[in-house]
């Protein structure tokens, strides 16, 4: 298999690093504050869209997968409690594991194969996971 272009490799590494959960908590606080203002002053239904990462645990990556799911998804899904609706979307999957190559943050680059988009992530599991 050919080596990926250096820029593609850097992009994959950057995507795997998780944001600070404290920042996510501030987004949830802001959402709750906006929800209350909207409910107090309008008849609008209130909710938000959560863009899931559809992490797939590979051998040795189960604990890291749970950690990443909380930081990227569950924190925001929990923040939707009390909303009138929540939207969920996911357009790709990302493997998480220790073998064969661990990337910073626990994610690993996928081997080049059909069914991947230009960034190297898979489509199949990512397209169906929010529906389950």
């Amino acid at each position: 298999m050919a080596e990926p272009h250096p820029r593609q490799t850097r992009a994959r590494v950057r995507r795997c690093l998780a944001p600070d959960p404290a920042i996510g908590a501030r987004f949830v606080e802001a959402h709750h504050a906006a929800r209350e203002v909207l409910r107090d002053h309008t008849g609008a239904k209130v909710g938000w869209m959560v863009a899931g990462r559809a992490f797939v645990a590979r051998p040795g990556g189960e604990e890291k997968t749970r950690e990443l799911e909380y930081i990227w998804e569950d924190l925001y899904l929990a923040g939707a409690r009390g909303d009138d609706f929540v939207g969920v979307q996911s357009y790709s999957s990302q493997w998480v594991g220790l073998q064969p190559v661990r990337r910073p943050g626990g994610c690993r680059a996928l081997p080049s194969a059909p069914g991947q988009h230009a960034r190297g992530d898979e489509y199949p599991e990512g397209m169906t996971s929010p529906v389950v």
Side-chain angles (χ1 to χ4, degrees):
M1 171 172 54
E3 287 295 314
H5 185 277
R7 191 170 71 200
Q8 290 173 328
T9 302
R10 283 194 305 274
R12 287 182 179 181
V13 169
R14 280 196 306 268
R15 278 190 334 210
C16 292
L17 297 176
D20 183 342
I23 295 170
R26 295 298 304 213
F27 281 126
V28 170
E29 290 172 13
H31 172 69
H32 290 170
R35 178 178 65 198
E36 296 312 311
V37 169
L38 287 168
R39 284 191 173 152
D40 288 346
H41 300 287
T42 75
K45 298 290 184 188
V46 182
W48 65 359
M49 175 66 69
V50 177
R53 298 290 298 259
F55 294 108
V56 178
R58 292 309 208 209
E62 295 82 6
E63 185 176 331
K64 188 64 174 182
T65 299
R66 285 188 295 277
E67 176 188 330
L68 291 170
E69 285 172 339
Y70 172 77
I71 293 169
W72 284 101
E73 300 168 354
D74 297 346
L75 175 65
Y76 303 99
L77 291 171
R81 285 191 188 111
D83 286 1
D84 299 305
F85 66 89
V86 62
V88 180
Q89 64 180 352
S90 181
Y91 297 106
S92 62
S93 299
Q94 178 63 59
W95 290 359
V96 180
L98 303 177
Q99 299 296 327
V101 178
R102 183 169 179 177
R103 302 283 189 213
C107 294
R108 62 177 272 216
L110 298 170
S112 182
Q116 295 175 345
H117 56 67
R119 294 187 324 187
D121 294 336
E122 285 184 323
Y123 286 117
E125 292 181 61
M127 292 298 281
T128 59
S129 64
V131 179
V132 182

